[in-house]
Amino acid sequence: MERKQPARLADVARAAGVSVATASRVLNGSPHRVSDQLSERVREAARRLRYAPNVGAQVLARATSQTVALLLHDVTDPYFGQIAGGVLAEAARRNVRVLIADTGIDPDSEVQHLDSLRGYRPRAVIVAGSRTTDKAAEQRLSEHLSDLLELGATVVSVGQPGLPGRVVRPANREGAAALARFLSELGHRRFAVVAGPEQLQVSRERREGFVSALPDDAEVVHVTAEFSRDGGYQAGRTLLDGSQLPTAVFVTSDVQATGLCTALREGGVSIPEQVSVAGFDDIPIVRDLTPSLTTVALPLHDMGVRALEAALVDDDDYPDELSIDAELIERDSTARPRP
């Protein structure tokens, strides 16, 4: 006869209609107060499911620090730098300490950093970066984050849904679609899309959002490149080596776009007279490029602020998903195609 698995804290939280963090605060004795009504709901669900609290979790929950762990894919990337700046600014205002780890684009590296951060007993963990298509690695990361939730920590991801906890979700697909419509209305029909690594969901969201909004008679060439300035430069060289240049290029990150523009200029291509170029993110440097870059802007600093706020809020009515709007910013790198 198959033995029934013991109830986990997530099962209790689901039965009580509260977050895992709230259930942990009630059952593991965290100093963060929960209302009497919610406490009774949680305790009743625990009794009904015969949940046995983890003694180690109780000790850790009572000793949880005022530290927030922030995991970033690349601290040198302006995209993540601005998100980190928002987290740090809000942390300073709230008198919270932040520990930052650079994980690269690797869920297993994120898992290793989470293990090393356990000793700090973080009050919350923020994971900033695109989710990947590696389902096994993402599952390992989800399990480690679920363990932290059981210990009373709050978990927030910045990017795509899929991990336990709350998510700050930027409008990648919608922003890219708005850019496609803008370029199409200018008269462009021959496009190139320079996307980041295929395993990153953010690359897929932006690429698919852009292509979905193009007119039926559009021609599209796809180029894959690393999410870096050098990756964009190599993509530019690839386009120059092709049989025919597109009239418009969508680059799925501004960092890539800086390198691509350099490659096109070195190849004797005038922007936007011969080729229009547009990016995504609106990092500060693109305003100072010549010509300045048309892009889709995300409020990156504010995304960091919202992520920390979501990490520290104890209210179960707080939304699990915070949607962040994108805004099309027209600058000098795009124009109507030549006849």
Side-chain angles (χ1 to χ4, degrees):
M1 181 176 178
E2 186 177 347
R3 293 183 60 187
K4 186 177 181 180
Q5 290 292 325
R8 295 189 53 157
L9 189 62
D11 300 322
V12 176
R14 192 177 303 110
V18 300
S19 68
V20 176
T22 294
S24 176
R25 293 182 189 111
V26 174
L27 298 174
N28 292 328
S30 167
H32 302 292
R33 192 178 184 283
V34 178
S35 71
D36 292 340
Q37 182 182 11
L38 283 182
S39 294
E40 181 53 35
R41 272 169 45 192
V42 171
R43 295 187 193 282
E44 171 58 28
R47 286 191 293 269
R48 193 166 66 250
L49 296 174
R50 298 182 180 179
Y51 170 75
N54 182 302
V55 174
Q58 290 181 327
V59 172
L60 286 173
R62 293 179 186 125
T64 298
S65 70
Q66 283 299 100
T67 297
V68 173
L70 173 60
L71 275 58
L72 299 168
H73 278 184
D74 183 358
V75 296
T76 66
D77 187 312
Y79 177 92
F80 295 109
Q82 288 194 80
I83 291 174
V87 171
L88 293 171
E90 185 65 9
R93 192 180 73 82
R94 294 171 178 257
N95 198 29
V96 173
R97 181 174 64 165
V98 178
L99 294 176
I100 299 178
D102 186 324
T103 65
I105 306 172
D106 182 1
D108 285 329
S109 176
E110 291 171 323
V111 167
Q112 292 168 9
H113 279 87
L114 286 174
D115 285 340
S116 67
L117 290 167
R118 274 179 175 270
Y120 292 96
R121 304 184 308 277
R123 177 178 173 181
V125 175
I126 300 172
V127 182
S130 173
R131 303 321 328 137
T132 73
T133 56
D134 186 339
K135 293 182 178 179
E138 290 290 327
Q139 181 60 33
R140 290 191 291 272
L141 175 59
S142 292
E143 289 171 357
H144 276 66
L145 292 173
S146 294
D147 289 343
L148 286 169
L149 283 169
E150 293 227 11
L151 296 176
T154 306
V155 173
V156 178
S157 55
V158 181
Q160 295 75 34
L163 295 178
R166 294 168 176 154
V167 60
V168 177
R169 183 179 190 177
N172 289 312
R173 191 180 299 272
E174 297 84 351
L179 177 61
R181 288 190 290 270
F182 165 73
L183 292 173
S184 299
E185 288 167 2
L186 286 178
H188 293 281
R189 291 297 182 272
R190 199 166 67 248
F191 297 91
V193 177
V194 177
E198 185 65 20
Q199 73 268 27
L200 292 182
Q201 289 187 26
V202 64
S203 297
R204 290 189 173 192
E205 284 186 345
R206 294 178 180 182
R207 184 193 68 222
E208 292 173 359
F210 184 85
V211 172
S212 69
L214 292 176
D216 293 339
D217 59 344
E219 301 174 17
V220 185
V221 172
H222 293 278
V223 180
T224 301
E226 291 300 314
F227 256 146
S228 66
R229 179 268 175 202
D230 290 344
Y233 181 87
Q234 290 303 320
R237 299 301 308 175
T238 298
L239 292 177
L240 289 169
D241 291 339
S243 59
Q244 185 180 35
L245 280 173
T247 63
V249 182
F250 168 47
V251 193
T252 56
S253 83
D254 286 347
V255 172
Q256 291 174 304
T258 61
L260 180 131
C261 289
T262 299
L264 293 183
R265 284 196 301 270
E266 289 179 358
V269 175
S270 179
I271 304 171
E273 289 79 10
Q274 291 176 270
V275 176
S276 289
V277 179
F280 204 113
D281 293 330
D282 196 32
I283 61 175
I285 191 175
V286 301
R287 304 166 201 172
D288 300 320
L289 294 178
T290 303
S292 57
L293 186 70
T294 293
T295 189
V296 177
L298 292 175
L300 299 172
H301 184 275
D302 185 56
M303 284 164 58
V305 171
R306 300 287 298 278
L308 189 75
E309 177 187 86
L312 300 181
V313 166
D314 290 332
D315 187 354
D316 272 291
D317 291 331
Y318 196 84
D320 289 332
E321 181 173 315
L322 300 175
S323 297
I324 305 296
D325 291 337
E327 180 185 3
L328 175 63
I329 306 294
E330 181 183 359
R331 296 197 179 102
D332 297 332
S333 66
T334 50
R336 293 185 177 279
R338 284 181 174 177

